[in-house]
Protein backbone atom coordinates (compact mmCIF):
# COMPACT_ATOMS: atom_id res chain seq x y z
CA UNK A 1 0.00 0.00 0.00
CA UNK A 2 1.21 3.47 -0.93
CA UNK A 3 -0.30 5.90 1.52
CA UNK A 4 -0.21 9.65 2.17
CA UNK A 5 -1.16 10.98 5.59
CA UNK A 6 -2.71 14.45 5.50
CA UNK A 7 -3.66 16.67 8.42
CA UNK A 8 -2.56 19.83 10.19
CA UNK A 9 0.85 19.95 11.89
CA UNK A 10 0.42 18.14 15.20
CA UNK A 11 -2.55 16.05 14.02
CA UNK A 12 -0.66 12.89 14.93
CA UNK A 13 0.51 11.89 11.46
CA UNK A 14 3.97 10.83 12.64
CA UNK A 15 2.63 8.72 15.51
CA UNK A 16 0.01 7.01 13.33
CA UNK A 17 2.48 6.48 10.48
CA UNK A 18 4.80 4.61 12.85
CA UNK A 19 1.98 2.30 13.99
CA UNK A 20 0.66 1.61 10.46
CA UNK A 21 4.21 1.09 9.19
CA UNK A 22 4.71 -1.79 11.65
CA UNK A 23 1.26 -3.21 10.89
CA UNK A 24 1.84 -3.29 7.11
CA UNK A 25 5.64 -3.78 7.26
CA UNK A 26 6.31 -0.82 4.96
CA UNK A 27 8.58 2.17 5.68
CA UNK A 28 7.40 5.60 6.78
CA UNK A 29 9.06 8.31 4.77
CA UNK A 30 8.99 11.44 6.91
CA UNK A 31 10.18 14.57 5.17
CA UNK A 32 10.59 16.18 8.58
CA UNK A 33 13.03 13.49 9.72
CA UNK A 34 14.90 13.51 6.40
CA UNK A 35 15.23 17.30 6.56
CA UNK A 36 16.22 17.37 10.24
CA UNK A 37 18.94 14.77 9.52
CA UNK A 38 20.19 16.94 6.66
CA UNK A 39 20.22 20.03 8.93
CA UNK A 40 22.03 18.15 11.72
CA UNK A 41 24.64 16.81 9.27
CA UNK A 42 24.97 20.28 7.69
CA UNK A 43 24.53 18.94 4.17
CA UNK A 44 24.00 21.54 1.41
CA UNK A 45 20.26 20.72 1.38
CA UNK A 46 20.17 20.92 5.18
CA UNK A 47 21.74 24.36 5.30
CA UNK A 48 19.36 25.56 2.59
CA UNK A 49 16.34 24.17 4.44
CA UNK A 50 17.29 25.39 7.93
CA UNK A 51 16.29 29.04 7.52
CA UNK A 52 12.83 28.04 6.28
CA UNK A 53 12.27 25.46 9.05
CA UNK A 54 13.33 27.85 11.82
CA UNK A 55 10.68 30.32 10.69
CA UNK A 56 7.97 27.64 10.43
CA UNK A 57 7.77 28.25 6.67
CA UNK A 58 7.57 25.59 3.95
CA UNK A 59 10.85 24.36 2.48
CA UNK A 60 10.83 24.97 -1.32
CA UNK A 61 9.32 22.21 -3.45
CA UNK A 62 12.43 21.46 -5.49
CA UNK A 63 14.42 20.71 -2.32
CA UNK A 64 11.74 18.39 -0.90
CA UNK A 65 11.04 16.55 -4.15
CA UNK A 66 14.71 15.86 -4.83
CA UNK A 67 15.15 14.29 -1.38
CA UNK A 68 11.91 12.31 -1.72
CA UNK A 69 12.65 10.77 -5.12
CA UNK A 70 16.06 9.59 -3.89
CA UNK A 71 14.47 8.00 -0.83
CA UNK A 72 11.64 6.24 -2.72
CA UNK A 73 14.17 4.65 -5.08
CA UNK A 74 15.66 2.65 -2.17
CA UNK A 75 14.83 -1.11 -2.00
CA UNK A 76 12.73 -0.97 1.21
CA UNK A 77 10.06 1.08 -0.65
CA UNK A 78 9.43 -1.61 -3.30
CA UNK A 79 6.38 -3.07 -1.49
CA UNK A 80 4.83 0.27 -0.51
CA UNK A 81 5.41 3.22 1.80
CA UNK A 82 3.75 5.89 3.91
CA UNK A 83 4.50 9.53 3.09
CA UNK A 84 4.41 11.74 6.19
CA UNK A 85 4.68 15.47 5.52
CA UNK A 86 4.75 15.19 1.74
CA UNK A 87 3.13 16.46 -0.42
CA UNK A 88 2.31 19.74 1.31
CA UNK A 89 1.22 21.70 -1.75
CA UNK A 90 -0.66 21.04 -4.98
CA UNK A 91 2.59 21.69 -6.87
CA UNK A 92 4.33 18.94 -4.86
CA UNK A 93 1.45 16.52 -5.48
CA UNK A 94 1.63 17.23 -9.22
CA UNK A 95 5.43 16.82 -9.16
CA UNK A 96 5.06 13.43 -7.45
CA UNK A 97 2.62 12.33 -10.15
CA UNK A 98 4.96 13.64 -12.86
CA UNK A 99 7.79 11.65 -11.24
CA UNK A 100 5.66 8.46 -11.39
CA UNK A 101 5.27 8.34 -7.60
CA UNK A 102 1.93 6.55 -7.27
CA UNK A 103 -0.44 6.80 -4.30
CA UNK A 104 -3.28 4.40 -3.36
CA UNK A 105 -4.91 6.40 -0.55
CA UNK A 106 -4.63 9.94 0.83
CA UNK A 107 -5.90 9.71 4.41
CA UNK A 108 -6.69 12.95 6.24
CA UNK A 109 -6.81 13.15 10.05
CA UNK A 110 -9.45 15.80 10.84
CA UNK A 111 -8.76 17.93 13.95
CA UNK A 112 -9.51 21.46 15.21
CA UNK A 113 -6.89 24.22 15.43
CA UNK A 114 -7.57 24.59 19.17
CA UNK A 115 -6.75 20.93 19.80
CA UNK A 116 -3.59 21.26 17.70
CA UNK A 117 -2.35 24.28 19.66
CA UNK A 118 -2.81 22.50 23.00
CA UNK A 119 -1.14 19.38 21.66
CA UNK A 120 1.92 20.90 19.98
CA UNK A 121 3.02 23.14 22.82
CA UNK A 122 3.25 19.96 24.94
CA UNK A 123 5.34 18.10 22.38
CA UNK A 124 8.95 17.12 23.12
CA UNK A 125 11.48 15.85 20.57
CA UNK A 126 14.67 13.82 21.09
CA UNK A 127 17.79 15.82 20.20
CA UNK A 128 19.51 12.65 18.96
CA UNK A 129 17.13 10.17 17.29
CA UNK A 130 14.17 12.49 16.56
CA UNK A 131 11.57 10.45 18.53
CA UNK A 132 8.58 12.52 19.67
CA UNK A 133 6.66 12.51 22.96
CA UNK A 134 3.90 14.54 24.59
CA UNK A 135 3.85 15.62 28.22
CA UNK A 136 0.20 14.49 28.56
CA UNK A 137 -0.72 12.08 25.75
CA UNK A 138 2.55 10.17 25.29
CA UNK A 139 5.07 11.03 28.03
CA UNK A 140 8.53 9.46 28.16
CA UNK A 141 9.23 7.01 31.00
CA UNK A 142 11.63 9.55 32.53
CA UNK A 143 10.80 13.25 32.19
CA UNK A 144 13.04 15.01 29.67
CA UNK A 145 14.79 11.79 28.57
CA UNK A 146 14.24 9.76 25.37
CA UNK A 147 13.05 6.16 25.96
CA UNK A 148 14.88 4.97 22.83
CA UNK A 149 18.38 6.39 23.22
CA UNK A 150 18.55 8.26 26.54
CA UNK A 151 19.26 11.65 24.94
CA UNK A 152 17.71 14.94 26.08
CA UNK A 153 14.21 15.96 24.98
CA UNK A 154 13.58 19.55 23.88
CA UNK A 155 10.79 21.78 22.55
CA UNK A 156 11.44 22.24 18.85
CA UNK A 157 11.42 25.82 17.68
CA UNK A 158 8.52 25.00 15.34
CA UNK A 159 6.45 23.83 18.36
CA UNK A 160 6.62 27.27 20.05
CA UNK A 161 3.12 28.90 20.30
CA UNK A 162 3.66 31.71 17.76
CA UNK A 163 5.28 29.34 15.26
CA UNK A 164 2.40 26.88 15.72
CA UNK A 165 -0.14 29.60 14.79
CA UNK A 166 1.92 30.45 11.71
CA UNK A 167 2.22 26.78 10.71
CA UNK A 168 -1.57 26.32 10.99
CA UNK A 169 -2.15 29.38 8.80
CA UNK A 170 0.28 27.98 6.20
CA UNK A 171 -1.43 24.56 6.42
CA UNK A 172 -4.89 25.99 5.69
CA UNK A 173 -3.58 28.06 2.76
CA UNK A 174 -1.14 25.61 1.18
CA UNK A 175 -1.88 22.03 2.27
CA UNK A 176 -5.60 21.73 2.97
CA UNK A 177 -6.42 22.13 -0.78
CA UNK A 178 -4.77 18.70 -1.25
CA UNK A 179 -7.95 17.13 0.11
CA UNK A 180 -9.86 18.29 -2.96
CA UNK A 181 -6.93 17.28 -5.21
CA UNK A 182 -7.05 13.66 -4.01
CA UNK A 183 -10.85 13.61 -3.68
CA UNK A 184 -11.06 14.41 -7.42
CA UNK A 185 -8.90 11.32 -8.04
CA UNK A 186 -11.08 9.10 -5.83
CA UNK A 187 -8.27 8.55 -3.32
CA UNK A 188 -9.31 10.64 -0.28
CA UNK A 189 -10.45 9.11 3.01
CA UNK A 190 -11.30 11.24 6.08
CA UNK A 191 -10.81 10.08 9.69
CA UNK A 192 -11.92 12.17 12.67
CA UNK A 193 -9.30 12.58 15.39
CA UNK A 194 -10.25 10.47 18.42
CA UNK A 195 -9.65 11.01 22.13
CA UNK A 196 -6.70 8.58 22.27
CA UNK A 197 -3.91 7.43 19.95
CA UNK A 198 -5.33 3.88 20.02
CA UNK A 199 -8.84 4.96 18.98
CA UNK A 200 -7.45 7.07 16.15
CA UNK A 201 -5.40 4.06 14.97
CA UNK A 202 -8.54 1.88 15.04
CA UNK A 203 -10.46 4.46 12.97
CA UNK A 204 -7.60 4.62 10.43
CA UNK A 205 -7.36 0.82 10.15
CA UNK A 206 -11.13 0.67 9.62
CA UNK A 207 -10.92 3.31 6.86
CA UNK A 208 -8.06 1.47 5.15
CA UNK A 209 -9.66 -1.97 5.58
CA UNK A 210 -6.62 -3.44 7.37
Amino acid sequence: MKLILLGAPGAGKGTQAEIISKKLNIPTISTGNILRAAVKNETPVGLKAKSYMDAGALVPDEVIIGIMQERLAEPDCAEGYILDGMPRTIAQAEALEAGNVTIDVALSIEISDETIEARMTGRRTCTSCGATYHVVANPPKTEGVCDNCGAELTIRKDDQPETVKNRLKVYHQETEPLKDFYKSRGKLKLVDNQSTIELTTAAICDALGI
Side-chain angles (χ1 to χ4, degrees):
M1 180 178 288
K2 295 169 181 175
L3 176 67
I4 290 174
L5 289 182
L6 298 174
K13 298 184 298 296
T15 300
Q16 294 301 333
E18 198 176 321
I19 295 166
I20 299 162
S21 167
K22 286 173 184 163
K23 217 174 193 36
L24 296 177
N25 198 28
I26 55 176
T28 295
I29 313 300
S30 165
T31 47
N33 288 347
I34 293 171
L35 283 169
R36 278 190 286 278
V39 169
K40 188 177 178 185
N41 297 329
E42 297 188 336
T43 66
V45 170
L47 293 171
K48 194 172 177 183
K50 187 175 189 302
S51 59
Y52 294 94
M53 292 169 70
D54 283 349
L58 294 180
V59 177
D61 289 353
E62 67 271 13
V63 178
I64 299 283
I65 289 161
I67 293 173
M68 189 58 67
Q69 286 176 320
E70 284 177 6
R71 180 67 186 86
L72 296 181
E74 293 180 21
D76 64 335
C77 293
E79 299 299 316
Y81 43 78
I82 301 167
L83 298 188
D84 172 19
M86 168 77 178
R88 284 191 174 177
T89 62
I90 299 289
Q92 286 181 358
E94 289 172 344
L96 287 177
E97 286 188 348
N100 295 319
V101 176
T102 56
I103 297 302
D104 297 318
V105 178
L107 189 136
S108 178
I109 301 173
E110 302 291 291
I111 186 168
S112 72
D113 285 6
E114 293 74 22
T115 305
I116 292 285
E117 288 177 31
R119 180 180 290 181
M120 288 180 75
T121 51
R123 190 156 68 173
R124 301 293 181 268
T125 304
C126 177
T127 50
S128 179
C129 73
T132 56
Y133 301 87
H134 191 278
V135 292
V136 177
N138 182 33
K141 293 185 177 74
T142 305
E143 188 178 342
V145 178
C146 178
D147 293 350
N148 297 339
C149 68
E152 182 189 2
L153 301 180
T154 60
I155 300 176
R156 282 186 2 216
K157 188 166 182 179
D158 53 4
D159 287 338
Q160 306 272 359
E162 280 312 305
T163 310
V164 169
K165 286 188 193 310
N166 185 44
R167 290 178 73 199
L168 285 168
K169 183 180 172 188
V170 170
Y171 166 75
H172 291 304
Q173 288 173 345
E174 301 282 345
T175 307
E176 205 162 27
L178 284 170
K179 291 199 287 191
D180 285 338
F181 179 90
Y182 286 110
K183 186 178 181 180
S184 72
R185 285 154 174 75
K187 295 183 176 182
L188 179 70
K189 291 183 186 290
L190 303 179
V191 170
D192 287 327
N193 176 64
Q194 306 295 315
S195 57
T196 67
I197 290 170
E198 292 77 16
L199 287 172
T200 302
T201 301
I204 289 172
C205 289
D206 188 48
L208 294 176
I210 59 174

